[in-house]
Amino acid sequence: SSSSSSSSSPLSGISISSSSPEYAPEDTYDVIVVGAGHAGCEAALAAARMGCRTLLLTLNLDRIAWQPCNPAVGGPAKSQLVYEVDAMGGEIGKMADRCYLQKRVLNKSKGPAVWALRAQTDKLEYATEMRRVLESTPNL
């Protein structure tokens, strides 16, 4: 059975009651994020920073915020998202600034409307740094 929690969190959590001896009140969360890719990390950090007790689930702790074989942040489409997440206090832009190997403005020969910043990053450092940020965030 479930009932609404009366915590002081900005979001109402759901507590699962159980007569099982393994159940403890510290096993309740306001937010559960499944997957620790870029979006999962940002969602978990945002919830935890809002004061929500947050659980981030992943299959492999060494693959937190893992990037593909061509690890880049930004580009023609993604740079707009990075700017927006950065404006809301997110980490992806900060991580790219910390872990970049090279930065480049794309489409510089065209007009400013299509310019886009792209940072090639060190994927191991990026994952390690993001894990450090996640593990040091209260409520997460």
Side-chain angles (χ1 to χ4, degrees):
S1 72
S2 65
S3 63
S4 292
S5 172
S6 61
S7 69
S8 62
S9 169
L11 299 176
S12 296
I14 295 181
S15 300
I16 299 173
S17 359
S18 170
S19 58
S20 168
E22 294 87 29
Y23 173 78
E26 61 269 8
D27 292 334
T28 61
Y29 297 92
D30 299 310
V31 176
I32 298 174
V33 178
V34 179
H38 296 295
C41 290
E42 294 291 356
L45 286 166
R49 290 171 178 168
M50 287 175 49
C52 299
R53 193 158 177 337
T54 305
L55 175 66
L56 176 60
L57 300 172
T58 186
L59 294 174
N60 185 339
L61 291 175
D62 294 327
R63 295 293 173 116
I64 288 174
W66 196 246
Q67 296 178 309
C69 60
N70 181 16
V73 173
K78 198 172 185 184
S79 63
Q80 181 64 36
L81 280 171
V82 173
Y83 289 134
E84 291 176 12
V85 170
D86 189 49
M88 294 186 291
E91 288 294 319
I92 191 169
K94 296 173 195 169
M95 282 296 128
D97 285 342
R98 278 189 217 141
C99 305
Y100 78 92
L101 300 171
Q102 76 166 342
K103 286 185 183 178
R104 183 175 163 197
V105 177
L106 305 176
N107 302 322
K108 192 71 174 161
S109 65
K110 299 179 173 135
V114 294
W115 293 351
L117 182 63
R118 180 181 65 204
Q120 296 293 131
T121 58
D122 179 322
K123 68 193 282 180
L124 295 174
E125 183 182 5
Y126 191 100
T128 301
E129 284 297 304
M130 184 61 88
R131 181 175 176 179
R132 186 189 58 74
V133 168
L134 292 167
E135 289 177 344
S136 65
T137 300
N139 297 318
L140 182 56

